[in-house]
Amino acid sequence: ALLHERFEECSGLSVVCGGCGEDVSVERTKDQQQLIDTCISCKAKLSQARLKNRLVLLVRNATQKYYAGWLACEDSGCSFRTRNQSILQDDFAPRCPSCCHGKLREEYSASALYKQLMYLKHLVKGVPELEVCLASFLTHNGYSQVELKPLFPLLSKPLHSTGLE
């Protein structure tokens, strides 16, 4: 249940079955040990090439959604959306220029993109071809990486100089 709650906002992976044309939702078994990659209707094994293509398309769509940069007012009564940052600020968040009391929030944040990638990583775990494909996208995502030099500038300098260098 915790895993389902953690990834509930993520888009699932689905593939059209080559055997019957049914749209099949790709999931893991109840014990999370294995990928279910067979069609429910005709019991045909889903094509690895189709799975890989759908995986790439899903990642690209999520990336495009992030880079579109849409901001939306968090006030439920205001439906204002924009891609422009407002210069009016409240608590480090741009204030909505339409209703003036709501804050503009990213519709699809960097953390949402990262969570989507982590869900897909969990989903394809154990399928080497799909893991390699997804790993190529994850290496370009810097959300989980922290550059420590700015946080600890003194640690990057030698403690003492011997003069022998």
Side-chain angles (χ1 to χ4, degrees), residues 85-144:
Q85 281 279 1
S86 172
I87 58 170
L88 305 170
Q89 298 281 320
D90 268 345
D91 301 325
F92 304 105
R95 194 171 351 136
C96 178
S98 179
C99 70
C100 292
H101 55 83
K103 293 178 184 163
L104 295 177
R105 302 282 184 208
E106 294 174 312
E107 282 187 351
Y108 199 72
S109 66
S111 64
L113 175 60
Y114 184 70
K115 190 182 287 188
Q116 178 69 49
L117 293 174
M118 288 296 97
Y119 169 68
L120 293 172
K121 181 181 178 182
H122 164 75
L123 190 65
V124 302
K125 184 171 58 177
V127 183
E129 184 180 349
L130 299 179
E131 284 182 316
V132 168
C133 174
L134 190 60
S136 67
F137 288 103
L138 285 167
T139 57
H140 296 297
N141 183 299
Y143 189 79
S144 66

Side-chain angles (χ1 to χ4, degrees), residues 44-117:
K45 187 160 176 63
L46 300 174
S47 161
Q48 288 289 315
R50 285 180 189 241
L51 282 168
K52 184 177 176 182
N53 287 340
R54 288 297 299 160
L55 181 67
V56 169
L57 285 173
L58 189 59
V59 170
R60 286 182 181 167
N61 286 339
T63 306
Q64 284 176 341
K65 195 174 173 182
Y66 169 71
Y67 280 113
W70 283 101
L71 300 170
C73 182
E74 68 181 1
D75 188 331
S76 59
C78 180
S79 59
F80 183 76
R81 288 179 75 217
T82 185
R83 290 172 64 179
N84 297 324
Q85 281 279 1
S86 172
I87 58 170
L88 305 170
Q89 298 281 320
D90 268 345
D91 301 325
F92 304 105
R95 194 171 351 136
C96 178
S98 179
C99 70
C100 292
H101 55 83
K103 293 178 184 163
L104 295 177
R105 302 282 184 208
E106 294 174 312
E107 282 187 351
Y108 199 72
S109 66
S111 64
L113 175 60
Y114 184 70
K115 190 182 287 188
Q116 178 69 49
L117 293 174

